[in-house]
């Protein structure tokens, strides 16, 4: 949150006296600002800081005892958060033997200032009624009010006090409260005047000053424009306390909406009509880390504190935000090495600052051995078609720096991948969250472009790969990756012998040798939405072959994919589009294969076609069935845009692939820790049906 370093403004020139010690509110000590109070005040509806003008019935006795004179709010009106119940207005009415006083209202009369009765008189006086012949509203000196609109406001506030009505002390008391509650008056004194026509009840009021300027102190993140807009309508008008209450609520609401620890802690009306607004904001003082075991007892952590602290967006000197703190907790959990994280705010002494304590429970082990299995969408045959087994040795927190090392092996009927991968999610000393990944891989996978051979012989594409990649976020929800990868590829039969042509004499390498060498410069940009059903996703990839040696391949390949969701009541509509193009001298098996579980359903993998270009679209409507299970209806379409013949050897043409096709069907999906489990059945445009099983969202 950017700081607002200049929120002090006033429309008139006046020297403001400093706030006294009693009017200075210490944000935490006065409000007993414990961590639980902070959480409750921001996560639950908060009681507004209202000016309380209405007295409860049982408070009238205390009023008569403790407030023998009328309230005067004009000389120094101060508002503070309701630390304890207080009465902001008071007045009383009691008819007693008073001396004669000259009246500037109607000649010589007996004027009685309505004083507070003694405690013993309260019960009887409350029930005793006095006949009132006239009701007037004047200024505090007994003269007619200059502003008729204020006189009307005061008279309109009266409910019980009417001419020729019999009133009790309580009736007059409540009308005094109503006048003050209108917000326009600083004080109100009821006076009984004995005239020839009877008793005249005079409410002597003192209007508030006209608003001429504002000084706001302590608002470092609250925009000055927000404050100016909140007070602009009242400039040049009589200050209305009710309106001030609304402004204070709007300011406090601004902080609450953003999860910020801030509030109006004091307000004062000074001479000259200047309002002094005091805002208290809780700045972060220190951030400490405390490692706990699963029982909540302190322990020694394996992760370096600086590795944790640099993940936080909450920094010292910022106004603390609960929303920002929640994002920081989520960031720490995504590191994969924490089991539980919580942030505890506590007051930092007597200052308007807080200390943050991060309670962290680390995972039991940062490394280990794992084993599992899966399903491959590659072209295989036999009773164990598609099944893959895997094992890995890993460490998720090398040197306590959240660096990760993974050595894994995956093995299927003909698939195999051996990979060594080292990742540093945030390079030390970098301020832009740049990550680094180093990878070495040896793999054998079937080719979807050339498929199984008619003579029942099969071959795989072997790849030896080594590379380094750097990635970082460059905008919210946007991430970019740059890398350099060396790759050697070649085809091998089921005995491991190199193959340069398939059954149809189509070349399997671009160079004509047993293998192709290439150095690829990689660029990737990814936008990820919120992850909600109606969010969006976009990804763009480009690989550029760099011919360091004459025999190394020179080509450029780009592809992009996008997905958009739209919520339609309980259902959700998803539209996915993808496409790509490649130019230059590239290996035929690197052509775009169309058809299959993540392409056009209803077809086998790569059965629609393969080309230098491709375009695939998909529309899906999903709807809930029961619990984590939902149904889906879909339709897919894919085409090679007529580029199949431009692939060396035309592998799609000799296999009589149509080059374009569509599929449609329905299925069910089950939410699981691995992602959505998809079981679908689709028909293609040749009226042939096929089951498809997949894990995760469709690419």
């Amino acid at each position: 949150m950017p700081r607002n370093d200049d929120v002090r403004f006033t429309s008139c020139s006046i020297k403001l006296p400093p706030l006294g010690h009693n009017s200075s509110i210490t944000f935490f000590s006065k409000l007993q600002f414990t961590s639980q109070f902070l959480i409750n005040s921001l996560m639950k509806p908060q009681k507004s800081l209202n000016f309380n003008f209405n007295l409860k019935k049982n408070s009238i006795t205390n009023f008569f005892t403790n407030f023998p004179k009328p309230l005067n709010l004009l000389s120094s009106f101060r508002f503070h958060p309701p630390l304890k119940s207080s009465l902001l207005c008071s007045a009383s009415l009691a008819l007693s033997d008073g001396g004669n006083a000259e009246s500037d209202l109607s000649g010589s009369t007996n004027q009685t200032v309505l004083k507070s009765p003694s405690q013993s008189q309260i019960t009887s006086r409350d029930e005793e009624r006095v006949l009132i012949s006239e009701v007037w509203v004047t200024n505090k000196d007994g003269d007619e009010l200059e502003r008729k609109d204020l006189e009307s406001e005061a008279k309109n506030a009266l409910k019980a006090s009417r001419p020729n009505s019999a009133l009790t002390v309580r009736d007059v008391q409540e009308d005094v409260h109503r006048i003050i509650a209108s917000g326009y008056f600083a004080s109100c004194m009821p006076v009984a005047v004995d005239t020839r026509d009877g008793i005249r009840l005079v409410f002597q009021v003192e209007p508030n000053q006209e608003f001429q300027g504002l000084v706001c102190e302590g608002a470092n993140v609250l925009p000055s424009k927000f404050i100016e807009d909140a007070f602009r309508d009242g400039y040049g008008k009589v200050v209305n306390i009710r309106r001030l209450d609304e402004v204070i609520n709007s300011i406090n609401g601004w902080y609450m909406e953003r999860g910020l620890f801030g509030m109006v802690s004091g307000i004062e009306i000074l001479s000259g009509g200047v309002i002094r607004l005091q805002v208290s904001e809780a700045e972060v003082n220190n951030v400490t880390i405390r490692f706990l075991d699963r029982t909540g007892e302190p322990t020694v952590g394996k992760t370096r504190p600086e590795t944790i602290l640099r993940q936080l967006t909450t920094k010292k000197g910022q106004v603390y935000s609960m929303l920002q703190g929640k994002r920081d907790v989520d960031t720490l959990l995504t590191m994969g090495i924490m089991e539980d994280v919580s942030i505890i705010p506590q007051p930092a002494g007597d200052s308007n600052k807080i200390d943050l304590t991060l309670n962290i429970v680390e995972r039991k082990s940062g490394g280990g051995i794992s084993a599992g299995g899966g399903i491959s969408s590659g072209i295989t045959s036999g009773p164990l078609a598609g099944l893959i087994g895997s094992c890995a040795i890993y460490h998720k927190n090398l040197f306590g720096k959240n660096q990760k090392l993974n050595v894994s092996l995956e093995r299927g009927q003909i698939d195999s991948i051996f990979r060594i991968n080292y990742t540093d999610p945030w390079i030390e000393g970098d301020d832009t969250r740049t990550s680094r990944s180093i990878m070495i891989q040896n793999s054998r996978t079937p080719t979807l472009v050339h498929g199984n051979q008619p003579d029942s012989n099969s071959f795989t594409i072997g790849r030896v790969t080594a590379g380094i990649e750097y990635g970082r976020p460059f905008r919210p929800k946007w991430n970019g990756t740059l890398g350099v990868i060396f790759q050697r590829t070649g085809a091998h039969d089921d005995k491991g012998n190199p193959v340069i042509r398939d059954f149809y004499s189509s070349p399997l390498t671009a160079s004509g040798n047993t293998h192709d060498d290439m150095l690829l410069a990689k660029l990737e940009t990814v936008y990820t939405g919120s992850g909600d059903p109606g969010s969006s996703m976009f990804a763009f990839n480009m690989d550029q072959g760099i011919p360091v040696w004459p025999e190394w391949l020179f080509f450029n390949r780009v592809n992009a994919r996008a997905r958009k969701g739209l919520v339609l009541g309980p259902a959700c509509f998803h539209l996915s589009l993808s496409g790509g193009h490649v130019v230059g001298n590239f290996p035929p098996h690197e052509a775009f294969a169309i058809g299959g579980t993540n392409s056009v359903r209803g077809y086998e993998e790569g059965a629609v076609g393969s080309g230098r270009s491709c375009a695939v679209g998909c529309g899906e409507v999903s709807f809930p069935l029961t619990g984590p299970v939902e149904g889906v209806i879909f339709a897919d379409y894919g085409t090679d845009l007529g580029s199949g013949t431009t692939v060396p050897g035309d592998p799609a043409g000799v296999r009589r692939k149509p080059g374009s096709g569509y599929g449609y069907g329905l299925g069910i999906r089950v939410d699981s820790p691995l992602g959505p489990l998809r079981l679908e059945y689709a028909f293609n445009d040749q009226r042939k049906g096929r089951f498809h099983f997949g894990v995760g969202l469709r690419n």
Side-chain angles (χ1 to χ4, degrees):
M1 180 68 66
R3 293 180 66 90
N4 176 13
D5 295 326
D6 187 12
V7 296
R8 183 183 180 92
F9 57 92
T10 180
S11 58
C12 64
S13 177
I14 181 170
K15 184 177 181 181
L16 298 177
L19 288 172
H21 176 71
N22 294 332
S23 64
S24 176
I25 300 298
T26 301
F27 193 54
F28 294 98
S29 61
K30 296 293 184 182
L31 292 181
Q32 300 296 315
F33 218 151
T34 63
S35 60
Q36 189 61 42
F37 178 86
L38 296 174
I39 296 173
N40 292 340
S41 64
L42 290 174
M43 294 303 181
K44 299 179 180 179
Q46 185 181 18
K47 184 178 179 181
S48 301
L49 303 178
N50 295 322
F51 294 90
N52 181 16
F53 293 107
N54 296 318
L55 299 177
K56 296 180 181 178
K57 297 294 184 180
N58 58 7
S59 299
I60 296 179
T61 301
N62 293 335
F63 154 71
F64 282 124
T65 304
N66 299 325
F67 292 86
K69 60 182 180 179
L71 175 71
N72 189 329
L73 297 178
L74 182 63
S75 60
S76 178
F77 172 80
R78 298 177 187 270
F79 162 75
H80 300 297
L83 307 179
K84 59 182 180 179
S85 177
S86 61
L87 305 180
L88 297 183
C89 62
S90 56
S92 62
L93 173 64
L95 294 179
S96 58
D97 294 335
N100 294 335
E102 293 184 359
S103 173
D104 55 0
L105 299 173
S106 59
S108 177
T109 60
N110 289 333
Q111 175 175 299
T112 304
V113 177
L114 304 183
K115 300 179 180 179
S116 303
S118 63
Q119 185 69 27
S120 61
Q121 296 174 311
I122 290 177
T123 303
S124 61
R125 292 299 188 190
D126 279 351
E127 300 302 327
E128 180 181 350
R129 292 186 176 274
V130 177
L131 182 63
I132 302 299
S133 61
E134 296 177 286
V135 178
W136 287 16
V137 176
T138 69
N139 63 18
K140 63 179 182 179
D141 297 324
D143 299 327
E144 184 178 357
L145 286 173
E146 295 181 359
R147 296 186 55 164
K148 295 301 181 182
D149 57 334
L150 293 180
E151 182 178 344
S152 298
E153 290 288 346
K155 289 183 177 180
N156 292 336
L158 300 176
K159 299 299 182 183
S161 301
R162 300 288 188 229
N164 301 318
S165 59
L167 305 178
T168 64
V169 170
R170 188 184 300 273
D171 293 334
V172 178
Q173 177 75 51
E174 290 177 351
D175 273 346
V176 169
H177 297 161
R178 294 186 182 104
I179 291 176
I180 296 297
S182 68
Y184 290 100
F185 304 98
S187 65
C188 177
M189 174 184 287
V191 177
V193 181
D194 191 6
T195 68
R196 291 187 297 272
D197 298 328
I199 297 177
R200 177 187 300 142
L201 178 59
V202 181
F203 291 94
Q204 295 182 351
V205 298
E206 184 177 7
N208 292 327
Q209 304 176 68
E210 291 185 356
F211 174 49
Q212 298 297 332
L214 173 70
V215 172
C216 181
E217 298 178 347
N220 294 319
V221 298
L222 183 67
S224 58
K225 187 178 185 302
F226 182 88
I227 308 174
E228 292 170 358
D229 291 343
F231 282 93
R232 181 175 287 112
D233 293 341
Y235 184 78
K237 300 177 182 178
V238 174
V239 174
N240 187 289
I241 306 303
R242 286 183 177 272
R243 172 57 183 158
L244 283 183
D245 185 28
E246 294 175 0
V247 171
I248 290 173
N249 287 335
S250 68
I251 294 175
N252 291 338
W254 185 91
Y255 283 103
M256 291 179 63
E257 289 174 2
R258 291 154 181 81
L260 294 169
F261 280 18
M263 64 185 301
V264 176
S265 58
I267 187 169
E268 182 179 4
I269 302 178
L270 304 172
S271 60
V274 175
I275 295 178
R276 190 173 193 177
L277 190 70
Q278 183 68 40
V279 177
S280 292
E281 297 175 345
E283 293 185 355
V284 177
N285 183 40
N286 291 318
V287 181
T288 57
I289 297 175
R290 180 170 57 186
F291 291 98
L292 304 176
D293 58 23
R294 293 186 176 183
T295 64
E297 295 297 324
T299 186
V300 178
K302 298 184 290 290
T303 307
R304 294 187 179 185
E306 58 270 20
T307 301
I308 298 174
L309 292 176
R310 68 175 180 172
Q311 301 286 339
L312 305 179
T313 58
T314 301
K315 304 296 183 182
K316 183 175 182 178
Q318 292 181 346
V319 177
Y320 182 60
S321 167
M322 286 286 291
L323 300 181
Q324 191 175 8
K326 183 180 182 303
R327 289 193 295 267
D328 287 339
V329 170
D330 293 340
T331 299
L332 292 176
L333 291 175
T334 56
M335 295 171 65
I337 57 177
M338 312 295 180
E339 187 172 296
D340 184 61
V341 178
S342 61
I343 299 180
I344 307 299
Q346 295 177 331
D350 295 331
S351 62
N352 293 351
K353 296 183 178 182
I354 59 174
D355 291 330
L356 301 181
T357 301
L358 270 68
N359 289 334
I360 293 178
V361 179
E362 294 180 298
R363 293 191 182 275
K364 191 172 183 180
S365 174
I369 301 175
S370 65
I375 296 178
S376 170
S377 60
I379 301 175
T380 58
S381 60
L384 301 178
L387 293 180
I388 293 179
S390 65
C391 63
I393 301 173
Y394 64 90
H395 200 293
K396 296 183 178 181
N397 193 13
L398 280 176
F399 316 116
K401 295 183 177 182
N402 194 32
Q403 298 173 3
K404 306 178 189 303
L405 178 65
N406 188 75
V407 180
S408 63
L409 173 65
E410 296 179 6
R411 180 69 180 177
Q413 187 176 3
I414 59 174
D415 302 56
S416 67
I417 301 176
F418 175 76
R419 181 188 297 114
I420 301 175
N421 191 77
Y422 164 80
T423 301
D424 186 354
W426 191 343
I427 299 175
E428 189 172 356
D430 179 78
D431 296 330
T432 58
R433 303 182 73 93
T434 302
S435 64
R436 176 177 54 213
S437 181
I438 301 174
M439 176 264 298
I440 300 174
Q441 177 177 295
N442 187 352
S443 65
R444 291 182 181 273
T445 58
T447 169
L448 303 181
V449 174
H450 296 84
N452 291 328
Q453 305 300 299
D455 57 2
S456 298
N457 291 326
S458 62
F459 60 88
T460 57
I461 303 299
R463 294 179 176 86
V464 177
T465 306
I468 183 171
E469 296 180 355
Y470 291 88
R472 54 159 293 212
F474 57 91
R475 291 187 63 184
K477 300 182 181 180
W478 285 88
N479 288 273
T481 302
L482 288 173
V484 177
I485 300 173
F486 172 80
Q487 189 174 103
R488 168 171 286 190
T489 65
H492 300 81
D493 60 19
D494 51 5
K495 296 180 180 180
N497 300 318
V499 181
I500 61 174
R501 292 186 180 273
D502 66 2
F503 177 83
Y504 299 99
S505 297
S506 298
L508 299 177
T509 61
S511 64
N513 300 323
T514 58
H515 61 269
D516 291 323
D517 291 331
M518 63 194 82
L519 181 66
L520 302 177
K522 177 182 178 180
L523 169 66
E524 182 179 38
T525 300
V526 178
Y527 170 83
T528 54
S530 60
D532 297 331
S535 63
S536 303
M537 186 280 296
F538 174 78
F540 173 83
N541 297 271
M542 182 179 70
D543 295 329
Q544 175 63 57
I546 303 175
V548 178
W549 301 105
E551 61 272 19
W552 288 17
L553 302 187
F554 176 62
F555 66 94
N556 179 272
R557 177 176 54 210
V558 297
N559 63 80
R561 63 184 188 276
R563 184 174 64 246
K564 174 62 180 176
L566 179 63
V567 178
L568 303 172
C572 185
F573 173 73
H574 287 278
L575 176 64
S576 301
L577 298 173
S578 62
H581 183 67
V582 58
V583 295
N585 187 24
F586 72 103
H589 55 77
E590 294 289 350
F592 296 103
I594 307 169
T597 302
N598 289 315
S599 181
V600 179
R601 286 162 285 190
Y603 281 92
E604 293 184 4
E605 303 296 326
V608 173
S610 54
R612 284 180 176 265
S613 304
C614 76
V616 178
C618 167
E620 296 181 343
V621 177
S622 59
F623 46 90
L625 293 178
T626 176
V629 182
E630 63 179 16
V632 61
I633 301 173
F634 58 84
D636 305 330
Y637 176 79
T639 175
D640 62 7
L641 301 175
S643 64
T645 57
T646 64
V647 178
D650 189 14
V654 298
R655 287 167 176 79
R656 301 182 181 276
K657 296 181 180 180
S660 65
Y662 63 85
Y664 56 91
L666 50 83
I668 60 173
R669 294 177 182 173
V670 181
D671 217 2
S672 74
L674 300 177
L677 303 179
R678 302 155 43 203
L679 178 61
E680 300 156 338
Y681 189 81
F683 290 94
N684 59 29
D685 50 358
Q686 299 175 4
R687 298 185 179 181
K688 294 182 179 179
R690 185 176 181 84
F691 277 103
H692 296 271
F693 178 77
V695 179
L697 295 175
R698 181 185 181 279
N699 292 335

